[in-house]
């Protein structure tokens, strides 16, 4: 299966997952609003959600794929079984620790909520109910990495849809047939997420055992390869989840502002549609491609694949950044303004979304460039870049929040993305894998020009008609997409060869 066709399959499943995620979050906003219970639930949901996004978008792939790709198929299957067994034991121990120390976890996630004993107690309860999903999604990610390495993307692409579908079903039942307090609804949702995670794990394990035997289980043998793989796992997770960690750092600061946690959560979920798509493409499709080129010692092919991946990523990210900034208020109003979600929440979330969208292109660049370092097993370098981004996020969010509140925190997160992308470019230059060619620079200019034309069109459309409902917003989005597609074709940002490659 070609890189572009594999990317299309993974991309479609990622889009489907994000659409279900939008529906889920719309129902979250309707059922819980953006008050103290919503802050408590979304704080507890943040840690399992972070792990789910990082590992679900291939956060463990940088540690797994380069190591397993060097082994013969039989040895790789045995090693894969050892990895799954060791991780299962470690995750059971971690889950037990979190269940015991959930109060301390709640304090670390949202220090600003500690003075409100009722809200802090809810965070503790919801953390205990939702954290078991971490066990399931992490093991699912390991199984998915093994399947992706062998070019099998079907089950791994669509299994993650189960969690969002289960949460939507739970929300529909809770809203349709039962009258209960916000706190009770949130407790049911937290428990349902853990149950859905186990269903996803069963689906992926079934795919792993179908056909060619990709995993051989035995009593785990401690070998140098297994040791190096496990030691690489933690920095791989940190580096892969850099943007998620920036948002987590911003959420910790936002816990000192009323509804700040909820506003950042809802805004970030909108931004995750393009970002999650790009992350899934990078970890599931680009990383195995780069690992093969690195194993063959073909530096020219590595740089070429990196450039083409950046072109595809920015072809999506730049117009998404512009559209989210321009349409932040109508998007927030249409998606979330119903039920318990008040007008002040709509205004606050929209402003946060506009500020977060500024960091989207840089988050995209960091996601793609990190795959090259992962393929070269340069995990320490990517970890250092992620830590730099976290420090920049915390410091700038604290300073900007003093003047602009949650919107300033969102700007701090965007600055963290900028610093992370800059660090990635600097690191690649040092190892000789960053030298943009004319083809790449020319394509980047054409993408920027197409985005500018689309932005002008959207501004002009807003002057004539302000989108005030789902139908008008849909028309704006489709109109902007059509305008961007036409501009991309006319400027050469998308060529006939690109279209032919999809076949």
């Amino acid at each position: 299966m070609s890189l572009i066709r594999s990317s299309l399959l993974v991309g479609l499943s990622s889009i489907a997952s994000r659409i279900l995620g939008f529906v889920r979050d719309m129902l979250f906003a309707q059922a819980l609003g953006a008050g103290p219970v919503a802050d408590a639930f979304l704080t507890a949901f943040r840690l399992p959600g972070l792990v789910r996004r990082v590992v679900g978008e291939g956060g463990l792939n940088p540690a797994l794929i380069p190591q397993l790709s060097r082994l013969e198929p039989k040895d790789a299957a045995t090693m894969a079984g050892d990895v799954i067994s060791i991780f299962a034991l470690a995750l059971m121990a971690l889950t037990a620790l979190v269940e015991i120390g959930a109060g301390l976890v709640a304090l670390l996630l949202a220090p600003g909520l500690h003075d409100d004993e009722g809200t802090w107690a809810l965070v503790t309860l919801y953390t205990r109910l939702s954290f078991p999903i971490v066990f399931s999604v992490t093991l699912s990610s390991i199984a998915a990495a093994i399947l992706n390495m062998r070019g099998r993307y079907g089950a791994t692409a669509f299994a993650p849809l189960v969690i969002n579908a289960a949460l939507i079903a739970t929300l529909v039942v809770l809203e349709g047939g039962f009258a209960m307090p916000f706190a009770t609804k949130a407790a049911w949702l937290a428990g349902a997420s853990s149950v859905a995670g186990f269903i996803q794990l069963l689906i992926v394990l079934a795919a792993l055992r179908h056909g060619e035997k990709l995993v051989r289980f035995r009593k785990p043998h401690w070998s140098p390869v297994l040791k190096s793989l496990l030691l690489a796992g933690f920095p791989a997770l940190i580096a892969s989840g850099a943007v998620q960690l920036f948002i987590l750092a911003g959420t910790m600061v936002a816990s000192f502002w009323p509804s700040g946690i909820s506003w950042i959560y809802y805004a970030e979920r909108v931004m995750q549609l393009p970002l999650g798509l790009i992350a899934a493409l990078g970890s599931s499709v680009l990383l195995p491609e780069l690992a093969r080129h690195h194993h063959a010692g073909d530096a020219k092919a590595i740089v070429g694949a990196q450039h083409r991946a950046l072109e595809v990523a920015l072809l999506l990210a730049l117009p998404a950044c512009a559209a989210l900034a321009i349409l932040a208020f109508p998007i927030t109003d249409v998606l979330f303004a119903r039920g318990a979600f008040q007008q002040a929440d709509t205004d606050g979330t929209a402003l946060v979304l506009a500020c977060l969208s500024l960091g989207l292109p840089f988050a995209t660049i960091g996601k793609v460039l990190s795959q090259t370092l992962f393929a070269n097993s340069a995990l320490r370098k990517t970890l250092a870049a992620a830590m730099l981004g976290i420090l920049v996020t915390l410091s700038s969010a604290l300073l900007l929040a003093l003047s602009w509140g949650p919107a300033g925190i969102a700007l701090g997160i965007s600055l963290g993305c900028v610093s992370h992308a800059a660090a990635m470019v600097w690191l690649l230059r040092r190892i000789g894998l960053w030298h943009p060619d004319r083809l790449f620079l020319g394509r980047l200019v054409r993408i920027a020009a197409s985005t500018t034309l689309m932005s002008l069109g959207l501004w002009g459309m807003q002057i004539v008609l302000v989108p005030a409902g789902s139908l008008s917003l849909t028309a704006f989005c489709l109109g902007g997409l059509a305008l961007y597609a036409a501009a991309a074709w006319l400027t050469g940002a998308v060529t006939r060869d690109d279209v032919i490659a999809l076949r």
Side-chain angles (χ1 to χ4, degrees):
M1 188 178 290
S2 71
L3 177 63
I4 292 181
R5 290 182 66 188
S6 301
S7 299
L8 186 60
L9 174 62
V10 174
L12 288 174
S13 67
S14 182
I15 289 173
S17 178
R18 291 314 183 274
I19 290 173
L20 288 177
F22 273 151
V23 175
R24 180 202 69 194
D25 292 328
M26 289 167 62
L27 294 173
F28 276 172
Q30 177 179 326
L32 304 178
V37 172
D39 279 354
F41 173 74
L42 296 176
T43 297
F45 200 62
R46 172 67 66 183
L47 184 58
L50 182 150
V51 174
R52 181 187 164 210
R53 286 177 210 158
V54 171
V55 301
E57 292 167 359
L60 286 171
N61 290 15
L64 289 168
I65 290 177
Q67 293 282 3
L68 295 180
S69 63
R70 298 188 185 105
L71 303 175
E72 295 296 325
K74 185 177 179 179
D75 294 334
T78 302
M79 183 59 60
D82 289 349
V83 170
I84 291 175
S85 300
I86 291 292
F87 265 89
L89 293 172
L91 288 165
M92 281 190 270
L94 175 62
T95 302
L97 288 175
V98 171
E99 295 296 316
I100 295 170
L104 178 59
V105 174
L107 178 61
L108 294 174
L109 290 174
L113 299 180
H114 183 256
D115 293 335
D116 185 342
E117 292 186 6
T119 304
W120 183 54
L122 288 177
V123 177
T124 302
L125 171 63
Y126 300 153
T127 298
R128 288 195 172 108
L129 290 172
S130 62
F131 193 81
I133 195 177
V134 170
F135 174 89
S136 305
V137 297
T138 304
L139 292 183
S140 297
S141 175
I142 295 172
I146 297 166
L147 289 165
N148 291 342
M149 189 177 66
R150 301 302 180 191
R152 292 166 57 180
Y153 298 101
T156 62
F158 292 101
L161 302 179
V162 170
I163 294 177
N164 282 336
L167 287 172
I168 289 170
T170 303
L171 281 160
V172 169
V173 171
L174 292 177
E175 286 294 284
F178 301 93
M180 60 180 65
F182 288 169
T184 306
K185 289 181 184 179
W188 276 101
L189 289 170
S193 67
S194 292
V195 174
F198 281 103
I199 296 173
Q200 176 189 343
L201 176 60
L202 291 175
I203 292 172
V204 178
L205 289 179
L208 195 63
R209 295 182 62 84
H210 180 71
E212 179 188 0
K213 194 165 186 178
L214 302 179
V215 176
R216 297 176 184 273
F217 289 104
R218 62 176 184 179
K219 182 180 179 180
H221 291 185
W222 192 253
S223 65
V225 175
L226 180 59
K227 180 180 178 181
S228 63
L229 194 154
L230 294 176
L231 290 176
F234 179 72
L237 282 174
I238 298 294
S240 297
V243 176
Q244 303 301 330
L245 290 173
F246 305 159
I247 295 169
L248 179 62
T251 300
M252 293 170 65
V253 179
S255 67
F256 292 94
W257 272 262
S259 300
I261 293 173
S262 298
W263 292 354
I264 287 180
Y265 174 85
Y266 292 123
E268 177 251 338
R269 291 302 299 147
V270 177
M271 191 186 76
Q272 280 296 329
L273 177 60
L275 185 59
L277 168 62
I278 293 159
L281 293 178
S283 62
S284 299
V285 180
L286 176 61
L287 178 58
E289 185 86 2
L290 290 171
R292 286 191 288 270
H293 293 320
H294 176 69
H295 187 62
D298 193 345
K300 184 177 179 180
I302 291 175
V303 174
Q306 173 183 277
H307 287 166
R308 303 297 80 79
L310 271 175
E311 291 169 7
V312 172
L314 291 174
L315 189 68
L316 297 172
L318 281 178
C321 164
L324 290 177
I326 294 169
L327 300 175
F329 282 91
I331 287 173
T332 305
D333 183 67
V334 168
L335 290 179
F336 304 121
R338 59 181 56 83
F341 205 81
Q342 305 300 315
Q343 183 60 47
D345 301 321
T346 300
D347 295 339
T349 302
L351 189 56
V352 169
L353 174 58
C355 294
L356 274 182
S357 68
L358 300 178
L360 179 58
F362 302 98
T364 297
I365 293 170
K367 284 279 188 183
V368 173
L369 296 184
S370 64
Q371 303 305 312
T372 305
L373 291 171
F374 290 152
N376 284 267
S377 301
L379 291 175
R380 290 184 180 179
K381 292 182 174 65
T382 53
L383 179 61
M387 297 307 296
L388 172 65
I390 292 172
L391 290 175
V392 171
T393 298
L394 281 173
S395 57
S396 56
L398 284 168
L399 290 174
L400 294 172
L402 296 176
S403 299
W404 296 315
I409 297 170
L411 286 173
I413 294 171
S414 292
L415 288 174
C417 294
V418 173
S419 63
H420 180 245
M424 286 290 158
V425 171
W426 182 75
L427 288 170
L428 288 172
R429 284 181 63 89
R430 288 196 64 188
I431 61 176
L433 292 178
W434 178 257
H435 34 84
D437 53 21
R438 289 186 177 182
L439 177 61
F440 169 72
L441 293 175
R443 183 72 68 97
L444 183 59
V445 170
R446 290 189 286 272
I447 292 172
S450 302
T451 301
T452 301
L453 291 173
M454 181 205 72
S455 301
L456 292 173
L458 285 178
W459 275 114
M461 290 166 64
Q462 279 196 317
I463 293 173
V464 177
L465 176 65
V466 177
S470 57
L471 290 179
S472 60
L473 178 61
T474 301
F476 264 74
C477 293
L478 292 176
L481 178 61
L483 180 58
Y484 179 68
W489 184 263
L490 291 174
T491 61
V494 175
T495 65
R496 187 182 300 274
D497 290 339
D498 298 325
V499 176
I500 292 174
L502 292 173
R503 296 177 182 174

